[in-house]
Structures are given as structure tokens and as C-alpha cells.
Amino acid sequence: MACQERDPTERRIAKPVSLVAFWPVALYLLCMLDEIVNAVRNCRSCVVLTGAGISAESGVPTFRGSEGLWGKFKPEELATMAAFISNPKIVWEWYKWRRQVVGEVKPNPGHYALRYLQQWFDQFTLVTQNVDGLHRAAGSENILELHGNIYRNKCLDCNHQFSEDMDIDPDNIPSCPHCGGKIRPDVVWFGEMLDPQIINKAFSESEQTELFFSIGTSAIVHPAASLPITAKRQGATLVEINPEMTPLSGLADYYVSAKSGEFLPTLIERLKQTSPPG
Ligand code: APR
């Protein structure tokens, strides 16, 4: 479904902003900001996909890049079923450390801006690969957590879910009272299927949406990385916000080379000035 007031013959090319002098960059970003404001104004539905980058300004490490977790730790030893079966203690120590990290941080201006953004649309879906719960903490609604939630626990064998306040001792991992299986974090590990209801809903919203934002994700982990491509194929306007270019940047109608915690609040301010919600 395409946005209203868009010229269908318009060339849809990405607009990288790596210009040399500062003022053309500022001017360029300003023009792009206004075009994105217009896109928000003219579209009735929006899907936002977020990745680790949106939480980076809160102090949560990303997975890839120079400071990324997967540069320091091996995912196959910490985030797979095989790792948990062979060494559940080390896996639980890793998740307890990550729970502590995300437990000590707060949503940043990017998370809050997305909570406000939903007001400009009849249909708004926030799809996140993050397990940190920061979108919910910022007050966003209608969130699809593709990769689970780091605070939740479930049984390895029967999938029974357990309360979030369950404290796990990695030296003495509790067993499921229903089947005796080990308790594990309720996140999606490498090689595991995503919850079919959640991923199907994310795809159906992406197929129908008029506007799609991809924010703070390296856009390489599927099926999440297929969502913006699906939306674009169905005619949505695609906006990417990421200081680094990704495989998606060349497909985006607008590639914004900026931190989400800086660009998104600016977008909201501009929207409030030019076209308040409702
Ligand atoms: N604002 C926006 N983007 C940012 C910021 C920021 N302030 N800081 C970093 N980024 C970008 C990086 O440039 C990078 O492209 O965020 C992206 C983070 O990429 P990844 O670390 O790969 O995170 P993500 O895409 O969420 O990873 C997907 O991989 O390991 C799995 O399950 C894990 O959900 C995760 C999935």
C-alpha cells in the first residue's frame, strides 16, 4: 500500500549523508527531515523495527561492531540450545550478567520518541529484536518482541513460562515443577524458531504498512531483516536510521546517518511544530 501524495514515478534511491563539509550535511539532513515529516503526515500506518542500536544510548552494548558483544564472546557458547545443554551454568551466568546490565539502565530519548510517534498513525506496530524491555518501560504499546524477553523464564522441555521475578542460581538451576526440565531464559537463541504468532503478525503488518522505519539494527539477522524488505516490496516508504550503513541502506528511501536518540526526538519536535497528532 503506497502513501498518499507520493509520486509513483519518483526514483526511490537511498540518500547517504556522508558529505565532506558540515553545512551541506546539515542542510541535507534538514531537507530529509522535512521529507520524513511529510511521509509521517501522509501515511496512516507505520511499522517500526528496532535493534540493539536503539538501546545503545541507554548503555546496553550492541552485538556487532567494534564494541559489540559478539566481538568479545562467542555466540555459539552462550546463545544456542547446544551451549545450554553442554554448559547451562555458563549460559545462565551470561544471562544473569545481561539482566543486571539492562536492569541498571533506563529508556533513552529514542525510546520515548517512538512512544510519541505512535500518535500520528491509525495503525502503529513496534517490532523489536531487543529483549531488554526498554520500549515497554518507555510506555510504547503494541510491541512485538521477536526474540523474547530477557526477564522471562521458561522450561527447556515443556516451554511452560515462569514469573519474571524468579531468581536463578547458575550453580543450582531450578527444574520445571511440571516435567522436571531445566529452566532457561525465554529468549530466542541462534538456530531456534521464532514464536509463529509473533513473527506472522510482524510480517502481515509489514505487508500492509505504508511507512516502515528500520532503526538501530545491522539488518542481517533473519527473519527480522526480511521485514523491511517485505514492506518495501509492497510499496511502503522505507526509512533507515543508523550511524552505520547496512545491507538495507541501498534499498531505503531515506537513509539517515544518525543516532536514534538524537534524530528521533528531532523528528518528533518537527512533527509537533508542523502537524500535531489527531
Ligand atoms: N542509534 C542507531 N543505531 C545505532 C546506534 C545508535 N545510537 N548505535 C549503534 N547503532 C547501530 C549499529 O551501527 C548497528 O548497525 O545498531 C546496529 C546494531 O546491530 P547489532 O549489534 O547487530 O544488533 P541487532 O541488529 O539488533 O542484532 C540482531 O542478533 O545476536 C542477535 O539476537 C541478537 O537480536 C539480536 C540480533
Side-chain angles (χ1 to χ4, degrees), residues 10-63:
E10 178 191 338
R11 275 188 72 207
R12 293 173 165 198
I13 52 168
K15 297 173 181 174
V17 292
S18 55
L19 304 179
V20 180
F22 175 74
W23 71 264
V25 178
L27 191 63
Y28 192 83
L29 270 175
L30 210 58
C31 292
M32 186 149 36
L33 179 64
D34 280 342
E35 289 187 34
I36 296 169
V37 164
N38 276 338
V40 171
R41 199 172 21 207
N42 293 330
C43 294
R44 301 273 31 96
S45 55
C46 178
V47 172
V48 176
L49 171 68
T50 64
I54 191 143
S55 298
E57 288 156 89
S58 292
V60 182
T62 60
F63 293 96

Side-chain angles (χ1 to χ4, degrees), residues 51-53 57 63-64 70 129 147 190 216-218 221 242-244 260:
E57 288 156 89
F63 293 96
R64 297 171 185 82
W70 296 150
Q129 297 165 90
H147 295 168
F190 285 102
T217 173
S218 53
V221 176
N242 193 321
E244 307 288 333
S260 46

Side-chain angles (χ1 to χ4, degrees), residues 252-275:
D253 296 283
Y254 302 104
Y255 164 61
V256 183
S257 178
K259 292 182 174 179
S260 46
E262 292 172 3
F263 182 78
L264 288 171
T266 311
L267 174 64
I268 297 298
E269 279 314 306
R270 197 81 170 171
L271 275 164
K272 281 183 184 164
Q273 287 163 6
T274 56
S275 51

Side-chain angles (χ1 to χ4, degrees), residues 84-154:
F84 189 74
I85 288 167
S86 71
N87 198 340
K89 176 174 152 60
I90 203 161
V91 172
W92 260 120
E93 280 170 349
W94 153 257
Y95 278 98
K96 282 204 81 167
W97 170 71
R98 286 188 56 207
R99 277 183 183 179
Q100 193 186 332
V101 170
V102 301
E104 285 169 358
V105 303
K106 293 199 162 37
N108 67 57
H111 294 105
Y112 288 113
L114 289 182
R115 167 191 158 181
Y116 286 112
L117 187 64
Q118 66 196 19
Q119 298 173 62
W120 273 268
F121 300 95
D122 296 335
Q123 180 67 27
F124 183 89
T125 307
L126 179 48
V127 184
T128 187
Q129 297 165 90
N130 299 346
V131 296
D132 56 28
L134 289 175
H135 286 303
R136 201 181 312 276
S140 279
E141 294 158 16
N142 210 7
I143 307 167
L144 298 176
E145 290 178 317
L146 292 183
H147 295 168
N149 187 298
I150 199 163
Y151 293 109
R152 285 199 312 257
N153 304 296
K154 69 175 182 180

Side-chain angles (χ1 to χ4, degrees), residues 199-226:
I199 188 65
N200 289 344
K201 173 105 171 108
F203 270 106
S204 75
E205 296 292 341
S206 301
E207 278 161 15
Q208 292 167 44
T209 195
E210 295 175 71
L211 183 59
F212 194 108
F213 283 87
S214 176
I215 303 172
T217 173
S218 53
I220 55 171
V221 176
H222 291 267
S226 303

